[in-house]
Amino acid sequence: MQGKFITFEGPDGSGKTTCAKGVYDKLKKEGYDVIYTREPGGIEIAEEIRNIILDPKNTKMDARCEALLYAASRRQHLVEKVLPALAKGQIVLCDRFVDSSLAYQGVGRHLGIEEVFAINKFAIEDNMPDFTIYLNVDPEIGLQRIATRNYKDRLDQESLQFHQDTYNGYLQVVNKYKDRMIVVDANQDEAKVIDDCFKIIKEHLNV
Ligand code: TMP
């Protein structure tokens, strides 16, 4: 039995991680065989790559190098964790996947959505998510949330323009993959966002 591959996407400050973990807890409580994992990271090699990418001291990192590192960590995480879990029939809730690269590197870094998709195609082959929850937050609200963080990684510290471009990138990606994307209003309070996502996921699991 093949499991379900569900990804969570959204700009920084969209509350994506809290939401994905909240949904995980609810599904687990109802007895679903579910795992939560994240990108970049989720396994040792990918967490090491994450540290290199997000280390604020790596200001010299070239945009293509950044895109390749995300794709490399994605590949390892996919083969080591996601695909084996799906083969066991588990539901995989993955905090970020290829759409993050399309929005952040494709548009935020101006590398182009198609170019970034091409290197990711090499990394993921045909393994796309069954569906994706996109947490749609107004850029001002998202940026206010980032501003209150104690630790800001290299991408959090990027310019306002970069964050705005990334947000616009997500709108393009959501439009490009309409059939796979489910847009949730992430301007609402946390508990309501988790509840909305939980209901949507359960509906999709039961069809
Ligand atoms: P996180 O804050 O959701 O853990 O993600 C770490 C940062 O990495 C976040 O600013 C988004 C960024 N990112 C990309 O730029 N491209 C990617 O492919 C992924 C997965 C994350």
Side-chain angles (χ1 to χ4, degrees), residues 153-164:
D153 65 36
R154 192 173 61 84
L155 269 81
D156 291 333
Q157 292 180 15
E158 272 297 340
S159 65
L160 186 61
Q161 189 62 52
F162 172 78
H163 287 290
Q164 274 163 353

Side-chain angles (χ1 to χ4, degrees), residues 69-94:
L69 286 175
Y70 277 116
S73 76
R74 177 160 302 130
R75 171 69 188 176
Q76 188 64 29
H77 177 247
L78 182 74
V79 294
E80 201 180 319
K81 192 165 183 182
V82 177
L83 295 181
L86 293 174
K88 281 194 274 179
Q90 292 183 304
I91 299 166
V92 177
L93 303 183
C94 189

Side-chain angles (χ1 to χ4, degrees), residues 174-193:
V174 168
N175 195 39
K176 182 175 165 76
Y177 294 108
K178 280 191 202 82
D179 295 347
R180 173 168 61 79
M181 293 282 176
I182 301 164
V183 180
V184 172
D185 177 6
N187 297 312
Q188 316 172 86
D189 75 65
E190 221 167 65
K192 176 81 171 73
V193 180

Side-chain angles (χ1 to χ4, degrees), residues 36-56:
Y36 163 85
T37 189
R38 72 160 181 185
E39 275 204 4
I43 45 143
E44 215 176 315
I45 293 173
E47 288 289 341
E48 285 184 28
I49 299 174
R50 176 187 177 95
N51 291 337
I52 296 170
I53 303 174
L54 296 179
D55 189 337

